[in-house]
Amino acid sequence: MQMASIRRSPALSRAMMAHERGQLDHAKAVYQAILRAVPCDPDALHYLGVIAHQLGQHTRAAWLIRSSITRAPRHAAAHANLAEVLQALGYLEDALSHARIACALEPKEPVYRTALARLLQMTGDIEGALEAFEEGLHYRRSEPTRPDAPTFRYTVGSKLRHDADQLR
């Protein structure tokens, strides 16, 4: 799941730090407190949806993240996370739609390209998947100091080798 770099209130920052450390109960409580103060806060809705997804509550997660997107439609991470939730629910076409929106909103974000590639592969669009993987790799190369760049290259290479073996 994606945690976006956004302008944050101190409460949201605390919640996100707890969330990133895996302290889901604490993060959830803070997100809920934010929503009590600002009932339609798109960031709190989004990240509360991420927690719901992490807890296996995919239908609730989809509802929360969709509510966030209604209020902040240009939030790429929310679209990317909704794509992941929809994939878990088996709605691959809807997941593809949101993955494409995330890529359109932040075209140089390789994580979104990778997620799109995986969805394309799942729907049988191997050429589209390879193109999305290549675009993701291209953007990784433009950020060689990014800590996950070597992992990404290894993952793409492994995936392509695996797919080639499956086609034989």
Side-chain angles (χ1 to χ4, degrees), residues 27-47:
K28 182 178 177 181
V30 177
Y31 294 139
Q32 289 171 332
I34 292 168
L35 288 171
R36 281 191 297 278
V38 184
C40 296
D41 182 277
D43 297 317
L45 286 166
H46 171 212
Y47 293 117

Side-chain angles (χ1 to χ4, degrees), residues 113 116-122 125-134 160 163:
R113 297 281 173 191
L116 175 61
R118 288 186 184 124
L119 284 165
L120 288 166
Q121 180 195 18
M122 291 174 77
D125 184 356
I126 301 303
E127 286 184 33
L130 288 172
E131 183 179 322
F133 270 127
E134 287 171 4
L160 293 174
D163 290 348

Side-chain angles (χ1 to χ4, degrees), residues 58-133:
H58 308 304
T59 301
R60 178 167 170 70
W63 182 85
L64 287 162
I65 298 172
R66 282 184 195 278
S67 296
S68 170
I69 289 171
T70 298
R71 289 153 182 87
R74 299 192 54 77
H75 191 192
H79 285 283
N81 287 331
L82 181 56
E84 190 173 323
V85 169
L86 292 170
Q87 176 186 340
L89 289 168
Y91 300 117
L92 296 184
E93 291 302 320
D94 288 341
L96 265 172
S97 174
H98 285 280
R100 286 186 172 114
I101 292 169
C103 289
L105 290 171
E106 289 190 29
K108 294 185 178 184
E109 177 49 62
V111 173
Y112 301 160
R113 297 281 173 191
T114 304
L116 175 61
R118 288 186 184 124
L119 284 165
L120 288 166
Q121 180 195 18
M122 291 174 77
T123 60
D125 184 356
I126 301 303
E127 286 184 33
L130 288 172
E131 183 179 322
F133 270 127

